[in-house]
């Protein structure tokens, strides 16, 4: 089975596009995103993704019903205020995930030091003017 990528490149001498095939290592029919996620090196990522997914499913619903039946029960339209509370809780969960993702340590090199990457796009480019 040959999978094709969605990246389209212009065909030579033509205005039409051709689809470029994926490299062979990505064409294994037994490899799925689910299997890749649960490989040993991705275990921590799978755990965080699962926790965030559960939080995104349950926290907004809980926030909606708890605030509608307790805090905003006496308001004229409690569902509107409870909806705002649910949207706020979604943003808090997403913000927490982003903060966690950015606070994650960079992969360490073989010597145990954090790899330092140059700020330039390529170290071989030099300015000539």
């Amino acid at each position: 089975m040959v999978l094709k990528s969605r990246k389209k490149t212009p065909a030579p001498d033509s205005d039409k596009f051709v689809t470029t095939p994926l490299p062979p290592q990505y064409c294994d029919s037994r490899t799925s995103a689910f299997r890749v996620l649960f490989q040993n090196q991705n275990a921590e990522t799978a755990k965080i993704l699962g926790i965030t997914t559960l939080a995104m499913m349950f926290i907004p619903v809980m926030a909606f019903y708890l605030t509608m039946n307790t805090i905003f029960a006496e308001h004229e339209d409690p569902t509107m205020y409870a909806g705002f509370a649910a949207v706020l809780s979604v943003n808090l969960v997403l913000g927490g995930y982003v903060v966690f993702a950015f606070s994650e340590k960079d992969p360490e090199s073989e010597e145990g030091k954090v790899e330092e990457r140059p700020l330039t796009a390529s170290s071989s480019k030099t300015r000539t003017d």
Side-chain angles (χ1 to χ4, degrees):
M1 176 167 111
V2 175
L3 298 175
K4 296 194 175 194
S5 70
R6 295 183 182 189
K7 182 180 178 185
K8 300 203 179 225
T9 56
D13 302 330
S14 173
D15 291 339
K16 296 182 181 180
F17 288 91
V18 295
T19 304
T20 57
L22 288 170
Q25 65 266 25
Y26 297 115
C27 295
D28 185 10
S29 62
R30 294 171 291 159
T31 303
S32 67
F34 190 73
R35 283 186 183 192
V36 170
L37 188 61
F38 287 103
Q39 290 176 351
N40 288 338
Q41 66 266 26
N42 298 328
E44 186 66 25
T45 302
K47 177 182 161 187
I48 299 303
L49 181 63
I51 291 170
T52 304
T53 301
L54 290 174
M56 286 294 291
M57 287 181 359
F58 293 112
I59 290 177
V61 174
M62 289 173 26
F64 179 81
Y65 285 110
L66 286 174
T67 57
M68 185 173 72
N69 294 326
T70 57
I71 298 172
F72 303 122
E74 302 300 321
H75 284 76
E76 183 179 321
D77 189 11
T79 56
M80 181 181 71
Y81 296 109
F84 287 141
V87 169
L88 178 66
S89 69
V90 166
N91 287 317
L92 290 174
V93 170
L94 285 175
Y97 180 75
V98 169
V99 167
F100 177 79
F102 278 109
S103 66
E104 201 172 41
K105 293 181 180 179
D106 288 335
E108 294 184 357
S109 65
E110 294 174 9
E111 296 87 36
K113 297 179 184 177
V114 175
E115 293 180 24
E116 293 186 22
R117 297 184 180 118
L119 295 176
T120 60
S122 174
S123 60
S124 64
K125 294 181 180 179
T126 57
R127 210 169 161 170
T128 60
D129 56 338

